[in-house]
């Protein structure tokens, strides 16, 4: 005959010892839904509180989803805590409404609200206990793998994360329900856990049972796999931190040649660690592979939203591409001319003298008006735009030239380009086209100057 009470107590004490969950802790906030898992958790912690010298608070959230059933659960949780002499805290909210406001799924919103509530009740030197068990961990690992996670996702639910502890992480759902029955503990059942409307429920009701049919030890094996995955992840992360330090150029970019000198698995983890500074989103394996491929191809890719990555001139970096609208094309009818073109101020002034008397430093921005063909207008670059640089005596597309000059990717489609009916006359930060550059015979000359405080 099973002794579930002894099994649960033994496993909980082992988890507490293995991960130093309650060392010096005076208060534990227990996420208490009233379900079997949280009933088992709060009951076993209550039996241990005198041994470890801590007090307990039961924290319950009514998500505003299940109507009368949710009210029943809240009342049950209140009464349960009262019988045990445990302080009880309740939060009433409307997750459906708030999820619509934030754009989150109802699941995501509910989780965020729960943890915000728990954190509001616990100080940094106290603990938040949740009732996640080894079945939950197995479901999480399967979910992570299915959505394209790295080895880190194989770590499943960490036994400790910050001030959050999971004392039941070694316990199976069968053992938890057995504990409740042996101790005559009533619990409530959330009806949303019985349907397959939510992703995790499909894994719980359909996928995991099949795996347990194949191998009854499947849940325990997932737990061992997760422990191993966490150890491997910790090692790879320590190596990745060294890679980040040794390949940093000191200007927010990283040396591609040096990055490619390390094991791909470590470089991929370096991308994950670097991305933490740019977004609260987690990089999926597919995107990480794209970042690694970028090291050998150069160019840029969109990582998430307005966050991009690029490799230019042997350097890798993440950057935010601000969504700035391209300014409209402007016809330049008369000189002198001054105009706010996007984030740039373009000034065109007359110079009534021969090129021989002009300072050589400004020659790259001088245009011989007699060589202009037709209308003059100011715009951004267009497909196929080319420029012939007088000093280089070579013709290049603006696309290729901008790349060679290491002009930031996010700026390339916004740079002012002065044109006539024949083509490019002048480009900001580049200079004048050879076709219209001044020479010893030039007398009708204009000086084009662009200003930008940010770049």
């Amino acid at each position: 005959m099973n002794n579930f009470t002894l099994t649960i107590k033994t496993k909980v004490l082992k988890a507490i010892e293995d991960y130093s969950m309650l060392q010096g802790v005076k208060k534990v906030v227990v996420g208490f839904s009233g379900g079997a898992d949280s009933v088992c958790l709060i009951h076993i912690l209550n039996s241990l509180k005198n041994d470890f010298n801590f007090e307990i608070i039961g924290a319950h959230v009514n998500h505003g989803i299940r109507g009368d059933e949710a009210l029943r659960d809240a009342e049950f949780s209140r009464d349960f805590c009262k019988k045990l002499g445990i302080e009880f805290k309740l939060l009433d909210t409307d997750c459906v409404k708030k999820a619509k406001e934030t754009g989150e799924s109802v699941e995501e919103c509910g989780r965020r609200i729960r943890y915000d509530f728990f954190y509001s009740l616990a100080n940094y030197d106290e603990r938040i206990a949740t009732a996640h068990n080894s079945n939950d961990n197995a479901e999480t690992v399967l979910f992570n793998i299915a959505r394209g996670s790295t080895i880190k996702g194989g770590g499943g639910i960490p036994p400790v994360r910050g001030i959050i502890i999971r004392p039941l992480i070694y316990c199976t759902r069968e053992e938890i329900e057995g504990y409740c029955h042996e101790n005559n503990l009533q619990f409530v059942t959330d009806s949303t856990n019985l349907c397959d409307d939510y992703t995790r429920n499909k894994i719980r009701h359909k996928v995991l049972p099949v795996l347990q049919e194949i191998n009854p030890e499947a849940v325990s094996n997932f737990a061992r796999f997760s422990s191993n995955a966490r150890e491997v992840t910790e090692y790879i992360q320590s190596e990745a931190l060294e890679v980040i330090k040794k390949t940093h150029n000191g200007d927010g970019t990283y040396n591609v040649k040096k990055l490619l000198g390390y094991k791909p698995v470590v470089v991929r983890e370096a991308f994950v660690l670097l991305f933490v500074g740019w977004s609260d989103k987690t990089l999926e394996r597919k995107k990480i592979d794209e970042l690694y491929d970028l090291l050998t191809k150069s160019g840029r890719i969109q990582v998430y939203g307005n966050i991009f990555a690029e490799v230019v001139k042997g350097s890798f970096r993440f950057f935010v591409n601000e969504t700035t609208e391209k300014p409209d094309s402007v016809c330049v009818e008369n000189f002198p001319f001054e105009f706010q073109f996007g984030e740039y101020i373009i000034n065109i002034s007359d110079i009534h003298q021969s090129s021989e008397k002009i300072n050589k430093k400004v020659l790259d921005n001088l245009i011989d008006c007699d060589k202009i063909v037709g209308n003059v207008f100011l715009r951004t670059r267009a497909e196929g735009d080319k420029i012939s640089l007088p000093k280089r005596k070579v013709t290049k597309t603006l696309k290729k030239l901008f790349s060679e000059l290491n002009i930031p990717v996010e700026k390339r489609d916004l740079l002012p380009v002065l044109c006539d009916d024949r083509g490019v006359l002048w480009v900001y930060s580049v200079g004048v086209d050879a076709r219209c550059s001044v020479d010893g015979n030039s007398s009708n000359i204009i000086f084009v100057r662009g200003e930008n405080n940010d770049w």
Side-chain angles (χ1 to χ4, degrees):
M1 182 176 177
N2 287 322
N3 186 339
F4 291 111
T5 301
L6 179 60
T7 299
I8 290 290
K9 185 173 183 179
T10 301
K11 289 188 174 184
V12 167
L13 286 172
K14 179 170 174 52
I16 290 172
E17 181 182 357
D18 286 351
Y19 296 98
S20 301
M21 291 182 177
L22 297 175
Q23 188 172 1
V25 174
K26 298 301 181 184
K27 182 170 74 174
V28 177
V29 176
V30 178
F32 188 51
S33 68
D37 297 346
S38 63
V39 163
C40 174
L41 175 62
I42 205 166
H43 188 269
I44 190 70
L45 287 179
N46 191 58
S47 72
L48 297 172
K49 66 181 181 181
N50 291 331
D51 296 334
F52 288 90
N53 192 30
F54 63 84
E55 63 180 68
I56 300 174
I57 293 179
H60 182 90
V61 178
N62 175 4
H63 297 90
I65 297 175
R66 295 175 293 117
D68 290 342
E69 184 180 282
L71 295 176
R72 175 209 67 184
D73 293 354
E75 193 59 32
F76 169 86
S77 299
R78 187 193 303 276
D79 289 345
F80 192 95
C81 287
K82 185 177 181 180
K83 289 175 183 176
L84 293 181
I86 293 172
E87 184 180 355
F88 179 76
K89 297 289 185 180
L90 171 67
L91 174 68
D92 289 308
T93 188
D94 187 342
C95 281
V96 175
K97 180 182 177 181
K98 293 191 174 183
K100 289 179 180 178
E101 293 172 353
T102 61
E104 300 167 287
S105 70
V106 175
E107 288 177 280
E108 289 173 332
C109 183
R111 183 182 186 282
R112 177 178 57 78
I113 289 173
R114 279 197 306 278
Y115 279 97
D116 285 349
F117 178 52
F118 298 158
Y119 277 114
S120 73
L121 299 173
N123 295 320
Y124 73 94
D125 57 345
E126 297 168 341
R127 296 293 179 267
I128 297 167
T130 63
H132 292 98
N133 56 58
S134 58
N135 286 65
D136 294 322
N137 179 72
E139 293 159 10
T140 298
V141 171
L142 288 169
F143 178 72
N144 288 344
I145 293 172
R147 69 177 184 175
S149 175
T150 63
I151 188 69
K152 184 179 180 180
I157 300 172
V160 174
R161 181 169 62 83
I163 65 170
I164 298 172
I165 59 175
R166 276 90 184 216
L168 296 181
I169 199 65
Y170 291 159
C171 307
T172 67
R173 189 163 287 127
E174 178 186 8
E175 291 166 346
I176 288 168
E177 291 180 357
Y179 177 95
C180 290
H181 289 306
E182 280 185 1
N183 290 276
N184 296 314
L185 301 176
Q186 299 297 312
F187 54 85
V188 294
T189 301
D190 183 339
S191 62
T192 61
N193 287 333
L194 301 178
C195 64
D196 293 330
D197 292 342
Y198 299 101
T199 304
R200 289 184 181 276
N201 286 357
K202 292 178 182 178
I203 295 174
R204 177 176 300 175
H205 299 147
K206 297 182 178 181
V207 180
L208 198 55
V210 173
L211 293 176
Q212 288 176 298
E213 285 180 15
I214 296 171
N215 185 350
E217 297 298 313
V219 171
S220 297
N221 289 338
F222 272 114
R224 281 189 286 273
F225 171 77
S226 291
S227 178
N228 180 256
R230 285 192 294 270
E231 289 178 358
V232 171
T233 298
E234 287 177 9
Y235 173 75
I236 294 174
Q237 284 179 339
S238 66
E239 292 292 298
L241 287 170
E242 283 298 306
V243 168
I244 290 171
K245 187 193 318 184
K246 292 178 180 178
T247 62
H248 191 220
N249 292 325
D251 59 355
T253 66
Y254 298 84
N255 187 290
V256 170
K257 186 176 181 180
K258 289 182 180 179
L259 284 171
L260 290 173
Y262 292 94
K263 296 289 186 183
V265 66
V266 178
V267 177
R268 288 185 172 97
E269 185 61 28
F271 290 143
V272 174
L273 297 179
L274 287 172
F275 193 65
V276 169
W278 291 88
S279 173
D280 59 355
K281 301 295 180 181
T282 301
L283 285 176
E284 293 186 356
R285 178 55 191 247
K286 181 180 177 182
K287 189 60 65 175
I288 296 169
D289 288 342
E290 289 179 17
L291 288 169
Y292 191 82
D293 290 342
L294 185 65
L295 296 179
T296 59
K297 296 177 181 177
S298 294
R300 70 165 170 168
I301 62 170
Q302 183 179 20
V303 183
Y304 187 88
N306 66 343
I307 302 172
F308 287 73
E310 70 172 356
V311 170
V312 177
K313 296 288 187 181
S315 295
F316 169 89
R317 69 164 182 150
F318 286 110
F319 68 95
V320 174
N321 189 6
E322 299 293 351
T323 53
T324 305
E325 270 190 44
K326 286 186 180 182
D328 294 329
S329 178
V330 178
C331 183
V332 182
E333 297 180 347
N334 299 295
F335 305 126
F337 172 87
E338 185 169 286
F339 188 79
Q340 178 78 43
F341 188 75
E343 59 187 65
Y344 304 88
I345 298 175
I346 302 302
N347 183 286
I348 304 175
S349 56
D350 286 318
I351 297 181
H352 300 287
Q353 53 185 307
S354 70
S355 60
E356 295 178 356
K357 299 178 181 178
I358 295 173
N359 189 319
K360 298 297 183 183
K361 293 182 179 180
V362 300
L363 277 174
D364 286 345
N365 295 290
L366 298 179
I367 295 175
D368 186 334
C369 286
D370 294 329
K371 297 177 182 178
I372 292 175
V373 179
N375 299 310
V376 178
F377 45 98
L378 189 64
R379 60 168 172 79
T380 55
R381 69 172 176 173
E383 186 68 30
D385 272 349
K386 297 178 181 180
I387 188 169
S388 297
L389 300 175
K391 293 180 181 178
R392 297 191 186 188
K393 296 182 179 180
V394 64
T395 300
K396 292 181 180 288
T397 63
L398 295 189
K399 180 179 180 181
K400 185 173 183 180
L401 186 62
F402 287 176
S403 177
E404 290 179 359
L405 294 176
N406 205 21
I407 293 173
V409 173
E410 63 271 28
K411 298 290 185 180
R412 295 177 188 177
D413 287 332
L414 303 174
L415 292 184
V417 178
L418 194 67
C419 305
D420 63 8
D421 289 341
R422 185 173 171 182
V424 173
L425 296 172
W426 170 91
V427 180
Y428 178 89
S429 82
V430 175
V432 68
D433 185 88
R435 171 175 65 88
C436 57
S437 62
V438 299
D439 54 37
N441 298 318
S442 300
S443 58
N444 188 11
I445 302 169
I446 57 173
F447 175 44
V448 187
R449 182 172 66 254
E451 296 179 5
N452 179 272
N453 293 328
D454 297 326
W455 181 71

